[in-house]
Amino acid sequence: GAGVSQSPSNKVTEKGKDVELRCDPISGHTALYWYRQSLGQGLEFLIYFQGNSAPDKSGLPSDRFSAERTGGSVSTLTIQRTQQEDSAVYLCASSPRVGRIQETQYFGPGTRLLVL
Amino acid sequence: AQSVAQPEDQVNVAEGNPLTVKCTYSVSGNPYLFWYVQYPNRGLQFLLKYITGDNLVKGSYGFEAEFNKSQTSFHLKKPSALVSDSALYFCAVRDYPGGYNKLIFGAGTRLAVHP
């Protein structure tokens, strides 16, 4: 079946512009996670969705970052007034059910963001 | 707080030889451990996980991992390396309880398999 998809695959933007990154999880998966992969910080958690609500936003680095999820499916990560330090690969993952520690997270291919 | 460490930035091995990629963990409570692989310009692919049970876990592409509670380690192994195994490998621990099951990753180990 189809895996997690993300769009765009690559995004180049100018400093100060806003960007939107999209994630389509595996159909029926209720848990959705955003992570960021950067050279200096490695792989770090950003935000977690349980259905359409986000009980854990602890990894969002600043108030310029926000995310939403609609219909228990698609999620959008928005970065306002982008800065060069936002350049990274943004990865989305989903897992079938909420609250099950044995669940595997399945990752999308990522969006590579470059802020000039 | 939960954490994992991958002590080697890079591991070099000749094709056909056994490989080991090391991971140690620090958790409060039971460890829930994962290995992922990342090929160039790709997302993370799940290899295997330890939740409970047998200390030797078998996964995809011939990989296995050995859970050792006394040494707090979860090393990834393969009996005979292939050039196509060359990639970036991440060990991760589930942030549980209280962390909504998010994953905490190690820094990654680059595996280079030479013909």
Side-chain angles (χ1 to χ4, degrees):
Chain A
V4 178
S5 61
Q6 293 185 246
S7 61
S9 53
N10 291 281
K11 177 71 175 179
V12 180
T13 190
E14 295 178 347
K15 178 181 173 181
K17 301 278 190 180
D18 298 352
V19 295
E20 286 189 351
L21 312 180
R22 176 187 169 108
C23 172
D24 279 276
I26 294 171
S27 178
H29 280 197
T30 53
L32 187 147
Y33 303 79
W34 283 96
Y35 294 87
R36 180 169 72 172
Q37 184 177 19
S38 56
L39 279 177
Q41 301 298 323
L43 260 166
E44 53 182 347
F45 165 79
L46 296 178
I47 187 169
Y48 160 66
F49 283 93
Q50 177 176 308
N52 289 335
S53 65
D56 190 355
K57 305 178 183 179
S58 63
L60 295 179
S62 76
D63 59 7
R64 296 186 296 104
F65 287 72
S66 63
E68 65 175 10
R69 188 178 184 193
T70 55
S73 180
V74 172
S75 177
T76 302
L77 177 69
T78 300
I79 309 173
Q80 295 179 309
R81 306 181 302 281
T82 52
Q83 304 293 313
Q84 288 180 333
E85 61 262 29
D86 299 334
S87 297
V89 177
Y90 291 82
L91 293 165
C92 175
S94 69
S95 64
R97 285 169 291 271
V98 170
R100 299 275 297 273
I101 56 175
Q102 65 268 41
E103 295 281 324
T104 297
Q105 292 181 24
Y106 297 93
F107 283 78
T111 293
R112 188 175 299 272
L113 175 65
L114 178 61
V115 182
L116 301 176
Chain B
Q2 325 287 49
S3 67
V4 291
Q6 295 181 244
E8 302 155 317
D9 291 337
Q10 178 149 335
V11 170
N12 296 296
V13 64
E15 187 175 30
N17 283 0
L19 69 86
T20 299
V21 183
K22 296 180 180 177
C23 173
T24 59
Y25 65 88
S26 174
V27 300
S28 53
N30 295 323
Y32 303 100
L33 299 158
F34 299 77
W35 276 103
Y36 285 84
V37 60
Q38 186 177 37
Y39 297 99
N41 300 315
R42 304 280 295 275
L44 274 67
Q45 294 181 29
F46 169 73
L47 281 178
L48 50 80
K49 62 185 176 184
Y50 174 82
I51 303 298
T52 186
D54 291 341
N55 290 340
L56 186 63
V57 179
K58 294 189 181 296
S60 306
Y61 313 121
F63 284 93
E64 57 190 27
E66 186 172 8
F67 172 72
N68 187 314
K69 188 173 183 178
S70 63
Q71 297 186 3
T72 62
S73 66
F74 188 55
H75 300 334
L76 183 70
K77 300 182 179 185
K78 188 174 183 181
S80 178
L82 300 172
V83 172
S84 57
D85 293 329
S86 298
L88 188 57
Y89 289 80
F90 290 96
C91 181
V93 65
R94 176 142 279 161
D95 191 7
Y96 177 86
Y100 294 101
N101 298 341
K102 65 178 178 281
L103 294 173
I104 297 171
F105 288 90
T109 297
R110 189 163 300 279
L111 174 66
V113 182
H114 305 285

